[in-house]
Amino acid sequence: MSTTENAIACAEAHSAHNYHPLPVVVATADGAWMTDVEGRRYLDMLAGYSALNFGHGNRRLIDAARAQLERVTLTSRAFHHDRFADFCTGLAELCGMETVLPMNTGAEAVETAVKTARKWGYRVKGVPDGMAKIIVAADNFHGRTTTIVSFSTDPEARADFGPYTPGFEIVPYGDLTAMREAMTENTVAVLIEPIQGEAGVLVPPPGYLPGIRELTRERNVLFIADEIQSGLGRTGRTFACEHEGVVPDMYLLGKALGGGVVPVSAVVSSAAVLGVYRPGEHGSTFGGNPLACAVALEVIDMLRTGEYQQRAAELGDHLHHELGLLVGGGPVRAVRGRGLWAGVDIDPDRGTGREISEKLMERRVLVKDTHGSTIRIAPPLVIAKEDLDWGLEQLREVLRG
Ligand SMILES: *Cc1c(COP(=O)(O)O)cnc(C)c1O
């Protein structure tokens, strides 16, 4: 048995099989490259579902984490700590908003948004108690908690986890008319991904996000943008909403906010909306801890200059140009996305997304498939152009074969 096979067999013996990883066992990583237990190097074209926008082992992030490790890592919110104010101020400023509520994982940020919208609905909008409704889109991915899977349309994510949390209305993604029709007096929020990541990097039709903005403003409904995967530079802008000139009422952030070092998520909104909370009504032991704040503060600082966004935009143009050449006549059916983020639909006759991913792995490129024959490409934003080109060449070779 090889070292790799042995490591996989041991892991499978004692872990729940809630994932189906590619058969590679990573030992170390640097920038856009990962090295496995047998010394083979792989180009990371997934970047931890965008948690690693700044690459593996980013010097600035590791230094910030190390410095904070030596000072204080956890206080709980029972006490103040000296990184908290800078983190909240910095993140609010980056978002052009007023108030930050820190959590840890993306799902917790979504849960916090749901609770906030409901509370806002009862306390501010005047919705009768227990009647609040939140509109979401079909094929969404917002996380894995019982409430969140309650409004998933993916049978894999949802089946057998009931009873489900009520209070959600599901409408087709990209359909403004359906959203308008679903809206009632009791609607407190629209929760939407500005680009649907897990669904296959689906970019909504032009005008959709501005349409939601207009509609929600008209009807006194909160527009919640889940930018957990699309945000923080991935699409070539700080937020995917910016491509449509839209500012929501609330951003949900996670993944890259922790720089791939620690889990950090946040809800960012106005003082009026997040001002609904009083002490004791919501919280998290680890939310806003000193280590998380120190790393996230560095992430915020890195995004301030716009250099990562610009890199994602430029390399993204190149990526989409190259992928575009594969569409039509060839094995690629369609390519979608923005910036360094692409969903590539492969002709199902050429194999499933999983098979393509395995063949790419054999060529030392790591990607992840999503539904059926779609693969998703999202390398760290720090990837060298030559490395991106090399990765694309491997994809062309796999599709040729
Ligand atoms: C990943 C993701 C989440 C959930 O984040 P976790 O940290 O895995 O809980 C929520 N929304 C979107 C859009 C995501 O991509």
Side-chain angles (χ1 to χ4, degrees), residues 19 48-49 104-110 140-145 148 192-198 226-230 252 254-255 263-265 341 376:
Y19 278 92
Y49 304 94
N104 310 284
T105 63
E108 285 175 306
V110 174
N140 67 73
F141 183 84
H142 296 288
R144 301 291 196 173
T145 66
I148 295 171
I192 218 101
E193 297 160 85
I195 293 176
Q196 285 191 325
E198 299 306 299
D226 181 345
E227 294 250 18
I228 290 166
Q229 195 167 160
S230 59
L252 309 186
K255 293 201 165 103
V264 187
S265 70
W341 200 18
R376 136 182 52 194

PDB file of all heavy atoms in Angstrom, residues 19 48-49 104-110 140-145 148 192-198 226-230 252 254-255 263-265 341 376, ligand 1:
ATOM      1  N   TYR A  19     -18.019  13.537   3.094  1.00  0.00           N
ATOM      2  CA  TYR A  19     -17.332  14.109   1.931  1.00  0.00           C
ATOM      3  C   TYR A  19     -16.778  12.970   1.086  1.00  0.00           C
ATOM      4  O   TYR A  19     -16.634  11.850   1.566  1.00  0.00           O
ATOM      5  CB  TYR A  19     -16.174  15.017   2.371  1.00  0.00           C
ATOM      6  CG  TYR A  19     -16.602  16.414   2.751  1.00  0.00           C
ATOM      7  CD1 TYR A  19     -16.920  16.735   4.065  1.00  0.00           C
ATOM      8  CD2 TYR A  19     -16.709  17.417   1.788  1.00  0.00           C
ATOM      9  CE1 TYR A  19     -17.329  18.021   4.417  1.00  0.00           C
ATOM     10  CE2 TYR A  19     -17.119  18.701   2.119  1.00  0.00           C
ATOM     11  CZ  TYR A  19     -17.426  18.990   3.442  1.00  0.00           C
ATOM     12  OH  TYR A  19     -17.827  20.249   3.766  1.00  0.00           O
ATOM     13  N   GLY A  48      -9.794  26.234  -1.512  1.00  0.00           N
ATOM     14  CA  GLY A  48     -10.681  26.055  -0.358  1.00  0.00           C
ATOM     15  C   GLY A  48     -12.018  26.746  -0.553  1.00  0.00           C
ATOM     16  O   GLY A  48     -12.498  27.411   0.371  1.00  0.00           O
ATOM     17  N   TYR A  49     -12.608  26.585  -1.739  1.00  0.00           N
ATOM     18  CA  TYR A  49     -13.893  27.235  -2.054  1.00  0.00           C
ATOM     19  C   TYR A  49     -13.800  28.746  -1.795  1.00  0.00           C
ATOM     20  O   TYR A  49     -14.716  29.346  -1.237  1.00  0.00           O
ATOM     21  CB  TYR A  49     -15.041  26.645  -1.226  1.00  0.00           C
ATOM     22  CG  TYR A  49     -15.211  25.157  -1.362  1.00  0.00           C
ATOM     23  CD1 TYR A  49     -14.611  24.279  -0.462  1.00  0.00           C
ATOM     24  CD2 TYR A  49     -15.971  24.633  -2.407  1.00  0.00           C
ATOM     25  CE1 TYR A  49     -14.774  22.909  -0.591  1.00  0.00           C
ATOM     26  CE2 TYR A  49     -16.131  23.263  -2.539  1.00  0.00           C
ATOM     27  CZ  TYR A  49     -15.526  22.408  -1.628  1.00  0.00           C
ATOM     28  OH  TYR A  49     -15.677  21.054  -1.753  1.00  0.00           O
ATOM     29  N   ASN A 104     -18.143  32.868  13.230  1.00  0.00           N
ATOM     30  CA  ASN A 104     -16.991  32.044  12.837  1.00  0.00           C
ATOM     31  C   ASN A 104     -17.141  31.459  11.443  1.00  0.00           C
ATOM     32  O   ASN A 104     -16.359  31.714  10.557  1.00  0.00           O
ATOM     33  CB  ASN A 104     -16.789  30.921  13.855  1.00  0.00           C
ATOM     34  CG  ASN A 104     -16.769  31.469  15.268  1.00  0.00           C
ATOM     35  OD1 ASN A 104     -15.788  32.057  15.690  1.00  0.00           O
ATOM     36  ND2 ASN A 104     -17.871  31.317  15.979  1.00  0.00           N
ATOM     37  N   THR A 105     -18.194  30.669  11.244  1.00  0.00           N
ATOM     38  CA  THR A 105     -18.372  30.019   9.950  1.00  0.00           C
ATOM     39  C   THR A 105     -19.410  30.781   9.114  1.00  0.00           C
ATOM     40  O   THR A 105     -20.173  31.595   9.642  1.00  0.00           O
ATOM     41  CB  THR A 105     -18.874  28.580  10.138  1.00  0.00           C
ATOM     42  OG1 THR A 105     -20.158  28.623  10.758  1.00  0.00           O
ATOM     43  CG2 THR A 105     -17.921  27.773  10.988  1.00  0.00           C
ATOM     44  N   GLY A 106     -19.423  30.438   7.833  1.00  0.00           N
ATOM     45  CA  GLY A 106     -20.394  31.055   6.943  1.00  0.00           C
ATOM     46  C   GLY A 106     -21.817  30.761   7.379  1.00  0.00           C
ATOM     47  O   GLY A 106     -22.675  31.658   7.407  1.00  0.00           O
ATOM     48  N   ALA A 107     -22.074  29.498   7.712  1.00  0.00           N
ATOM     49  CA  ALA A 107     -23.431  29.116   8.117  1.00  0.00           C
ATOM     50  C   ALA A 107     -23.899  29.944   9.316  1.00  0.00           C
ATOM     51  O   ALA A 107     -25.062  30.349   9.383  1.00  0.00           O
ATOM     52  CB  ALA A 107     -23.472  27.627   8.447  1.00  0.00           C
ATOM     53  N   GLU A 108     -22.998  30.228  10.230  1.00  0.00           N
ATOM     54  CA  GLU A 108     -23.374  31.054  11.386  1.00  0.00           C
ATOM     55  C   GLU A 108     -23.698  32.483  10.970  1.00  0.00           C
ATOM     56  O   GLU A 108     -24.567  33.124  11.583  1.00  0.00           O
ATOM     57  CB  GLU A 108     -22.234  31.096  12.404  1.00  0.00           C
ATOM     58  CG  GLU A 108     -22.064  29.834  13.206  1.00  0.00           C
ATOM     59  CD  GLU A 108     -20.837  29.948  14.086  1.00  0.00           C
ATOM     60  OE1 GLU A 108     -19.749  30.236  13.561  1.00  0.00           O
ATOM     61  OE2 GLU A 108     -20.978  29.769  15.298  1.00  0.00           O
ATOM     62  N   ALA A 109     -23.002  32.989   9.980  1.00  0.00           N
ATOM     63  CA  ALA A 109     -23.318  34.335   9.491  1.00  0.00           C
ATOM     64  C   ALA A 109     -24.717  34.331   8.877  1.00  0.00           C
ATOM     65  O   ALA A 109     -25.503  35.262   9.083  1.00  0.00           O
ATOM     66  CB  ALA A 109     -22.278  34.799   8.474  1.00  0.00           C
ATOM     67  N   VAL A 110     -25.037  33.271   8.123  1.00  0.00           N
ATOM     68  CA  VAL A 110     -26.365  33.173   7.508  1.00  0.00           C
ATOM     69  C   VAL A 110     -27.434  33.052   8.596  1.00  0.00           C
ATOM     70  O   VAL A 110     -28.470  33.730   8.545  1.00  0.00           O
ATOM     71  CB  VAL A 110     -26.432  31.979   6.525  1.00  0.00           C
ATOM     72  CG1 VAL A 110     -27.846  31.787   6.003  1.00  0.00           C
ATOM     73  CG2 VAL A 110     -25.452  32.190   5.363  1.00  0.00           C
ATOM     74  N   ASN A 140     -29.953  27.538  -4.205  1.00  0.00           N
ATOM     75  CA  ASN A 140     -29.048  28.298  -3.344  1.00  0.00           C
ATOM     76  C   ASN A 140     -28.100  27.362  -2.594  1.00  0.00           C
ATOM     77  O   ASN A 140     -28.379  26.176  -2.414  1.00  0.00           O
ATOM     78  CB  ASN A 140     -29.867  29.091  -2.318  1.00  0.00           C
ATOM     79  CG  ASN A 140     -30.593  28.186  -1.315  1.00  0.00           C
ATOM     80  OD1 ASN A 140     -29.966  27.608  -0.429  1.00  0.00           O
ATOM     81  ND2 ASN A 140     -31.894  28.035  -1.467  1.00  0.00           N
ATOM     82  N   PHE A 141     -26.998  27.930  -2.145  1.00  0.00           N
ATOM     83  CA  PHE A 141     -26.200  27.264  -1.110  1.00  0.00           C
ATOM     84  C   PHE A 141     -25.825  28.301  -0.060  1.00  0.00           C
ATOM     85  O   PHE A 141     -25.099  29.248  -0.344  1.00  0.00           O
ATOM     86  CB  PHE A 141     -24.929  26.603  -1.648  1.00  0.00           C
ATOM     87  CG  PHE A 141     -24.198  25.883  -0.542  1.00  0.00           C
ATOM     88  CD1 PHE A 141     -24.551  24.589  -0.185  1.00  0.00           C
ATOM     89  CD2 PHE A 141     -23.201  26.525   0.187  1.00  0.00           C
ATOM     90  CE1 PHE A 141     -23.921  23.941   0.878  1.00  0.00           C
ATOM     91  CE2 PHE A 141     -22.570  25.880   1.249  1.00  0.00           C
ATOM     92  CZ  PHE A 141     -22.930  24.589   1.594  1.00  0.00           C
ATOM     93  N   HIS A 142     -26.356  28.117   1.160  1.00  0.00           N
ATOM     94  CA  HIS A 142     -26.061  29.064   2.230  1.00  0.00           C
ATOM     95  C   HIS A 142     -25.477  28.372   3.458  1.00  0.00           C
ATOM     96  O   HIS A 142     -25.287  29.024   4.481  1.00  0.00           O
ATOM     97  CB  HIS A 142     -27.320  29.838   2.627  1.00  0.00           C
ATOM     98  CG  HIS A 142     -27.867  30.714   1.541  1.00  0.00           C
ATOM     99  ND1 HIS A 142     -27.254  31.887   1.134  1.00  0.00           N
ATOM    100  CD2 HIS A 142     -28.973  30.591   0.753  1.00  0.00           C
ATOM    101  CE1 HIS A 142     -27.968  32.446   0.164  1.00  0.00           C
ATOM    102  NE2 HIS A 142     -29.009  31.684  -0.087  1.00  0.00           N
ATOM    103  N   GLY A 143     -25.228  27.055   3.375  1.00  0.00           N
ATOM    104  CA  GLY A 143     -24.649  26.365   4.527  1.00  0.00           C
ATOM    105  C   GLY A 143     -25.424  25.120   4.892  1.00  0.00           C
ATOM    106  O   GLY A 143     -26.289  24.669   4.125  1.00  0.00           O
ATOM    107  N   ARG A 144     -25.138  24.572   6.068  1.00  0.00           N
ATOM    108  CA  ARG A 144     -25.571  23.208   6.393  1.00  0.00           C
ATOM    109  C   ARG A 144     -26.369  23.050   7.667  1.00  0.00           C
ATOM    110  O   ARG A 144     -26.576  21.930   8.111  1.00  0.00           O
ATOM    111  CB  ARG A 144     -24.317  22.332   6.519  1.00  0.00           C
ATOM    112  CG  ARG A 144     -23.447  22.264   5.284  1.00  0.00           C
ATOM    113  CD  ARG A 144     -24.114  21.523   4.181  1.00  0.00           C
ATOM    114  NE  ARG A 144     -23.173  21.124   3.144  1.00  0.00           N
ATOM    115  CZ  ARG A 144     -23.494  20.346   2.132  1.00  0.00           C
ATOM    116  NH1 ARG A 144     -24.736  19.901   2.010  1.00  0.00           N
ATOM    117  NH2 ARG A 144     -22.608  20.026   1.237  1.00  0.00           N
ATOM    118  N   THR A 145     -26.765  24.131   8.318  1.00  0.00           N
ATOM    119  CA  THR A 145     -27.528  23.973   9.567  1.00  0.00           C
ATOM    120  C   THR A 145     -28.944  23.496   9.242  1.00  0.00           C
ATOM    121  O   THR A 145     -29.379  23.548   8.082  1.00  0.00           O
ATOM    122  CB  THR A 145     -27.621  25.298  10.336  1.00  0.00           C
ATOM    123  OG1 THR A 145     -28.409  26.205   9.562  1.00  0.00           O
ATOM    124  CG2 THR A 145     -26.247  25.899  10.603  1.00  0.00           C
ATOM    125  N   ILE A 148     -30.921  26.270   7.612  1.00  0.00           N
ATOM    126  CA  ILE A 148     -30.459  26.600   6.254  1.00  0.00           C
ATOM    127  C   ILE A 148     -30.820  25.496   5.253  1.00  0.00           C
ATOM    128  O   ILE A 148     -31.280  25.787   4.147  1.00  0.00           O
ATOM    129  CB  ILE A 148     -28.940  26.905   6.248  1.00  0.00           C
ATOM    130  CG1 ILE A 148     -28.662  28.180   7.069  1.00  0.00           C
ATOM    131  CG2 ILE A 148     -28.432  27.082   4.820  1.00  0.00           C
ATOM    132  CD1 ILE A 148     -27.176  28.451   7.323  1.00  0.00           C
ATOM    133  N   ILE A 192     -29.880  36.277  -0.915  1.00  0.00           N
ATOM    134  CA  ILE A 192     -29.480  35.828  -2.248  1.00  0.00           C
ATOM    135  C   ILE A 192     -27.948  35.793  -2.382  1.00  0.00           C
ATOM    136  O   ILE A 192     -27.262  36.591  -1.763  1.00  0.00           O
ATOM    137  CB  ILE A 192     -30.106  36.793  -3.299  1.00  0.00           C
ATOM    138  CG1 ILE A 192     -30.550  36.034  -4.523  1.00  0.00           C
ATOM    139  CG2 ILE A 192     -29.207  37.935  -3.682  1.00  0.00           C
ATOM    140  CD1 ILE A 192     -31.997  35.767  -4.570  1.00  0.00           C
ATOM    141  N   GLU A 193     -27.439  34.856  -3.172  1.00  0.00           N
ATOM    142  CA  GLU A 193     -26.029  34.897  -3.571  1.00  0.00           C
ATOM    143  C   GLU A 193     -25.962  35.738  -4.855  1.00  0.00           C
ATOM    144  O   GLU A 193     -26.638  35.394  -5.825  1.00  0.00           O
ATOM    145  CB  GLU A 193     -25.518  33.492  -3.898  1.00  0.00           C
ATOM    146  CG  GLU A 193     -25.516  32.510  -2.747  1.00  0.00           C
ATOM    147  CD  GLU A 193     -25.482  31.063  -3.258  1.00  0.00           C
ATOM    148  OE1 GLU A 193     -24.395  30.546  -3.527  1.00  0.00           O
ATOM    149  OE2 GLU A 193     -26.560  30.457  -3.395  1.00  0.00           O
ATOM    150  N   PRO A 194     -25.152  36.783  -4.895  1.00  0.00           N
ATOM    151  CA  PRO A 194     -25.068  37.611  -6.116  1.00  0.00           C
ATOM    152  C   PRO A 194     -24.535  36.815  -7.307  1.00  0.00           C
ATOM    153  O   PRO A 194     -24.819  37.158  -8.459  1.00  0.00           O
ATOM    154  CB  PRO A 194     -24.152  38.755  -5.735  1.00  0.00           C
ATOM    155  CG  PRO A 194     -23.533  38.402  -4.437  1.00  0.00           C
ATOM    156  CD  PRO A 194     -24.357  37.338  -3.791  1.00  0.00           C
ATOM    157  N   ILE A 195     -23.770  35.766  -7.015  1.00  0.00           N
ATOM    158  CA  ILE A 195     -23.423  34.744  -8.018  1.00  0.00           C
ATOM    159  C   ILE A 195     -23.575  33.428  -7.267  1.00  0.00           C
ATOM    160  O   ILE A 195     -23.039  33.285  -6.175  1.00  0.00           O
ATOM    161  CB  ILE A 195     -21.978  34.901  -8.532  1.00  0.00           C
ATOM    162  CG1 ILE A 195     -21.831  36.199  -9.344  1.00  0.00           C
ATOM    163  CG2 ILE A 195     -21.565  33.693  -9.370  1.00  0.00           C
ATOM    164  CD1 ILE A 195     -20.411  36.488  -9.819  1.00  0.00           C
ATOM    165  N   GLN A 196     -24.326  32.489  -7.819  1.00  0.00           N
ATOM    166  CA  GLN A 196     -24.522  31.226  -7.093  1.00  0.00           C
ATOM    167  C   GLN A 196     -23.321  30.310  -7.304  1.00  0.00           C
ATOM    168  O   GLN A 196     -23.098  29.806  -8.402  1.00  0.00           O
ATOM    169  CB  GLN A 196     -25.808  30.535  -7.559  1.00  0.00           C
ATOM    170  CG  GLN A 196     -27.072  31.193  -7.022  1.00  0.00           C
ATOM    171  CD  GLN A 196     -28.312  30.345  -7.259  1.00  0.00           C
ATOM    172  OE1 GLN A 196     -28.421  29.662  -8.284  1.00  0.00           O
ATOM    173  NE2 GLN A 196     -29.242  30.393  -6.322  1.00  0.00           N
ATOM    174  N   GLY A 197     -22.573  30.096  -6.229  1.00  0.00           N
ATOM    175  CA  GLY A 197     -21.327  29.331  -6.318  1.00  0.00           C
ATOM    176  C   GLY A 197     -21.537  27.845  -6.485  1.00  0.00           C
ATOM    177  O   GLY A 197     -21.216  27.267  -7.531  1.00  0.00           O
ATOM    178  N   GLU A 198     -22.119  27.215  -5.466  1.00  0.00           N
ATOM    179  CA  GLU A 198     -22.265  25.763  -5.493  1.00  0.00           C
ATOM    180  C   GLU A 198     -23.160  25.308  -6.649  1.00  0.00           C
ATOM    181  O   GLU A 198     -23.013  24.197  -7.148  1.00  0.00           O
ATOM    182  CB  GLU A 198     -22.837  25.257  -4.167  1.00  0.00           C
ATOM    183  CG  GLU A 198     -21.969  25.572  -2.968  1.00  0.00           C
ATOM    184  CD  GLU A 198     -20.548  25.076  -3.135  1.00  0.00           C
ATOM    185  OE1 GLU A 198     -20.347  23.870  -3.285  1.00  0.00           O
ATOM    186  OE2 GLU A 198     -19.635  25.922  -3.133  1.00  0.00           O
ATOM    187  N   ASP A 226     -25.409  37.276   0.305  1.00  0.00           N
ATOM    188  CA  ASP A 226     -24.472  36.270   0.803  1.00  0.00           C
ATOM    189  C   ASP A 226     -23.243  36.299  -0.105  1.00  0.00           C
ATOM    190  O   ASP A 226     -23.235  35.706  -1.184  1.00  0.00           O
ATOM    191  CB  ASP A 226     -25.124  34.883   0.812  1.00  0.00           C
ATOM    192  CG  ASP A 226     -24.166  33.810   1.344  1.00  0.00           C
ATOM    193  OD1 ASP A 226     -22.956  34.081   1.430  1.00  0.00           O
ATOM    194  OD2 ASP A 226     -24.639  32.695   1.654  1.00  0.00           O
ATOM    195  N   GLU A 227     -22.213  37.031   0.356  1.00  0.00           N
ATOM    196  CA  GLU A 227     -20.961  37.157  -0.411  1.00  0.00           C
ATOM    197  C   GLU A 227     -19.864  36.306   0.231  1.00  0.00           C
ATOM    198  O   GLU A 227     -18.678  36.606   0.109  1.00  0.00           O
ATOM    199  CB  GLU A 227     -20.547  38.635  -0.484  1.00  0.00           C
ATOM    200  CG  GLU A 227     -21.506  39.505  -1.293  1.00  0.00           C
ATOM    201  CD  GLU A 227     -20.912  39.994  -2.617  1.00  0.00           C
ATOM    202  OE1 GLU A 227     -19.909  39.407  -3.086  1.00  0.00           O
ATOM    203  OE2 GLU A 227     -21.473  40.954  -3.177  1.00  0.00           O
ATOM    204  N   ILE A 228     -20.290  35.244   0.899  1.00  0.00           N
ATOM    205  CA  ILE A 228     -19.328  34.394   1.599  1.00  0.00           C
ATOM    206  C   ILE A 228     -18.323  33.781   0.621  1.00  0.00           C
ATOM    207  O   ILE A 228     -17.140  33.680   0.920  1.00  0.00           O
ATOM    208  CB  ILE A 228     -20.076  33.319   2.422  1.00  0.00           C
ATOM    209  CG1 ILE A 228     -20.778  34.004   3.607  1.00  0.00           C
ATOM    210  CG2 ILE A 228     -19.142  32.214   2.909  1.00  0.00           C
ATOM    211  CD1 ILE A 228     -21.819  33.142   4.319  1.00  0.00           C
ATOM    212  N   GLN A 229     -18.805  33.397  -0.562  1.00  0.00           N
ATOM    213  CA  GLN A 229     -17.888  32.836  -1.568  1.00  0.00           C
ATOM    214  C   GLN A 229     -17.525  33.864  -2.649  1.00  0.00           C
ATOM    215  O   GLN A 229     -16.415  33.886  -3.156  1.00  0.00           O
ATOM    216  CB  GLN A 229     -18.510  31.585  -2.215  1.00  0.00           C
ATOM    217  CG  GLN A 229     -17.499  30.762  -2.982  1.00  0.00           C
ATOM    218  CD  GLN A 229     -17.985  29.357  -3.366  1.00  0.00           C
ATOM    219  OE1 GLN A 229     -17.442  28.758  -4.262  1.00  0.00           O
ATOM    220  NE2 GLN A 229     -18.985  28.824  -2.691  1.00  0.00           N
ATOM    221  N   SER A 230     -18.472  34.728  -2.991  1.00  0.00           N
ATOM    222  CA  SER A 230     -18.258  35.657  -4.107  1.00  0.00           C
ATOM    223  C   SER A 230     -17.486  36.903  -3.694  1.00  0.00           C
ATOM    224  O   SER A 230     -16.939  37.602  -4.547  1.00  0.00           O
ATOM    225  CB  SER A 230     -19.615  36.082  -4.682  1.00  0.00           C
ATOM    226  OG  SER A 230     -20.418  36.708  -3.686  1.00  0.00           O
ATOM    227  N   LEU A 252     -23.027  39.287   3.959  1.00  0.00           N
ATOM    228  CA  LEU A 252     -22.588  38.137   4.746  1.00  0.00           C
ATOM    229  C   LEU A 252     -21.219  37.742   4.214  1.00  0.00           C
ATOM    230  O   LEU A 252     -21.057  37.507   3.011  1.00  0.00           O
ATOM    231  CB  LEU A 252     -23.558  36.968   4.607  1.00  0.00           C
ATOM    232  CG  LEU A 252     -25.028  37.301   4.867  1.00  0.00           C
ATOM    233  CD1 LEU A 252     -25.861  36.031   4.844  1.00  0.00           C
ATOM    234  CD2 LEU A 252     -25.190  38.037   6.186  1.00  0.00           C
ATOM    235  N   GLY A 254     -17.419  35.510   4.912  1.00  0.00           N
ATOM    236  CA  GLY A 254     -16.805  34.370   5.590  1.00  0.00           C
ATOM    237  C   GLY A 254     -15.620  33.937   4.760  1.00  0.00           C
ATOM    238  O   GLY A 254     -14.932  34.764   4.181  1.00  0.00           O
ATOM    239  N   LYS A 255     -15.418  32.651   4.676  1.00  0.00           N
ATOM    240  CA  LYS A 255     -14.347  32.067   3.852  1.00  0.00           C
ATOM    241  C   LYS A 255     -13.076  32.925   3.837  1.00  0.00           C
ATOM    242  O   LYS A 255     -12.319  32.877   4.786  1.00  0.00           O
ATOM    243  CB  LYS A 255     -14.883  31.766   2.458  1.00  0.00           C
ATOM    244  CG  LYS A 255     -15.946  30.647   2.521  1.00  0.00           C
ATOM    245  CD  LYS A 255     -16.178  29.922   1.212  1.00  0.00           C
ATOM    246  CE  LYS A 255     -16.936  28.638   1.448  1.00  0.00           C
ATOM    247  NZ  LYS A 255     -18.350  28.679   1.111  1.00  0.00           N
ATOM    248  N   PRO A 263     -11.307  30.228  10.936  1.00  0.00           N
ATOM    249  CA  PRO A 263     -12.652  30.559  10.468  1.00  0.00           C
ATOM    250  C   PRO A 263     -13.100  31.908  11.030  1.00  0.00           C
ATOM    251  O   PRO A 263     -13.077  32.107  12.249  1.00  0.00           O
ATOM    252  CB  PRO A 263     -13.531  29.423  11.019  1.00  0.00           C
ATOM    253  CG  PRO A 263     -12.716  28.688  12.019  1.00  0.00           C
ATOM    254  CD  PRO A 263     -11.306  29.169  11.965  1.00  0.00           C
ATOM    255  N   VAL A 264     -13.449  32.807  10.121  1.00  0.00           N
ATOM    256  CA  VAL A 264     -13.973  34.116  10.534  1.00  0.00           C
ATOM    257  C   VAL A 264     -15.138  34.452   9.616  1.00  0.00           C
ATOM    258  O   VAL A 264     -15.009  34.375   8.394  1.00  0.00           O
ATOM    259  CB  VAL A 264     -12.923  35.251  10.398  1.00  0.00           C
ATOM    260  CG1 VAL A 264     -13.468  36.548  11.016  1.00  0.00           C
ATOM    261  CG2 VAL A 264     -11.599  34.884  11.045  1.00  0.00           C
ATOM    262  N   SER A 265     -16.267  34.789  10.198  1.00  0.00           N
ATOM    263  CA  SER A 265     -17.382  35.256   9.376  1.00  0.00           C
ATOM    264  C   SER A 265     -17.960  36.494  10.025  1.00  0.00           C
ATOM    265  O   SER A 265     -17.637  36.822  11.171  1.00  0.00           O
ATOM    266  CB  SER A 265     -18.443  34.168   9.226  1.00  0.00           C
ATOM    267  OG  SER A 265     -19.121  33.934  10.447  1.00  0.00           O
ATOM    268  N   TRP A 341     -13.003  33.073 -11.272  1.00  0.00           N
ATOM    269  CA  TRP A 341     -14.044  32.167 -10.806  1.00  0.00           C
ATOM    270  C   TRP A 341     -14.830  31.707 -12.030  1.00  0.00           C
ATOM    271  O   TRP A 341     -15.425  32.544 -12.713  1.00  0.00           O
ATOM    272  CB  TRP A 341     -14.967  32.918  -9.843  1.00  0.00           C
ATOM    273  CG  TRP A 341     -15.773  32.051  -8.943  1.00  0.00           C
ATOM    274  CD1 TRP A 341     -15.575  30.753  -8.630  1.00  0.00           C
ATOM    275  CD2 TRP A 341     -16.931  32.478  -8.206  1.00  0.00           C
ATOM    276  NE1 TRP A 341     -16.521  30.337  -7.738  1.00  0.00           N
ATOM    277  CE2 TRP A 341     -17.358  31.373  -7.453  1.00  0.00           C
ATOM    278  CE3 TRP A 341     -17.627  33.688  -8.099  1.00  0.00           C
ATOM    279  CZ2 TRP A 341     -18.471  31.433  -6.612  1.00  0.00           C
ATOM    280  CZ3 TRP A 341     -18.718  33.750  -7.264  1.00  0.00           C
ATOM    281  CH2 TRP A 341     -19.136  32.621  -6.530  1.00  0.00           C
ATOM    282  N   ARG A 376     -15.526  23.488 -11.286  1.00  0.00           N
ATOM    283  CA  ARG A 376     -15.421  24.884 -10.859  1.00  0.00           C
ATOM    284  C   ARG A 376     -13.954  25.220 -10.751  1.00  0.00           C
ATOM    285  O   ARG A 376     -13.158  24.448 -10.223  1.00  0.00           O
ATOM    286  CB  ARG A 376     -16.168  24.997  -9.549  1.00  0.00           C
ATOM    287  CG  ARG A 376     -15.517  25.758  -8.476  1.00  0.00           C
ATOM    288  CD  ARG A 376     -16.350  25.740  -7.248  1.00  0.00           C
ATOM    289  NE  ARG A 376     -16.740  24.397  -6.832  1.00  0.00           N
ATOM    290  CZ  ARG A 376     -17.697  24.170  -5.944  1.00  0.00           C
ATOM    291  NH1 ARG A 376     -18.380  25.149  -5.445  1.00  0.00           N
ATOM    292  NH2 ARG A 376     -17.981  22.945  -5.570  1.00  0.00           N
TER     293      ARG A 376
HETATM  294  C1  LIG B   1     -19.509  28.201   1.875  1.00  0.00           C
HETATM  295  C2  LIG B   1     -20.711  29.020   1.861  1.00  0.00           C
HETATM  296  C3  LIG B   1     -21.511  29.167   3.001  1.00  0.00           C
HETATM  297  C4  LIG B   1     -21.275  28.383   4.281  1.00  0.00           C
HETATM  298  O1  LIG B   1     -20.031  28.625   4.839  1.00  0.00           O
HETATM  299  P1  LIG B   1     -19.422  27.582   5.909  1.00  0.00           P
HETATM  300  O2  LIG B   1     -18.221  28.303   6.454  1.00  0.00           O
HETATM  301  O3  LIG B   1     -19.063  26.337   5.163  1.00  0.00           O
HETATM  302  O4  LIG B   1     -20.468  27.347   6.937  1.00  0.00           O
HETATM  303  C5  LIG B   1     -22.594  30.027   2.925  1.00  0.00           C
HETATM  304  N1  LIG B   1     -22.877  30.699   1.796  1.00  0.00           N
HETATM  305  C6  LIG B   1     -22.129  30.585   0.684  1.00  0.00           C
HETATM  306  C7  LIG B   1     -22.490  31.368  -0.530  1.00  0.00           C
HETATM  307  C8  LIG B   1     -21.040  29.729   0.668  1.00  0.00           C
HETATM  308  O5  LIG B   1     -20.325  29.569  -0.454  1.00  0.00           O
END
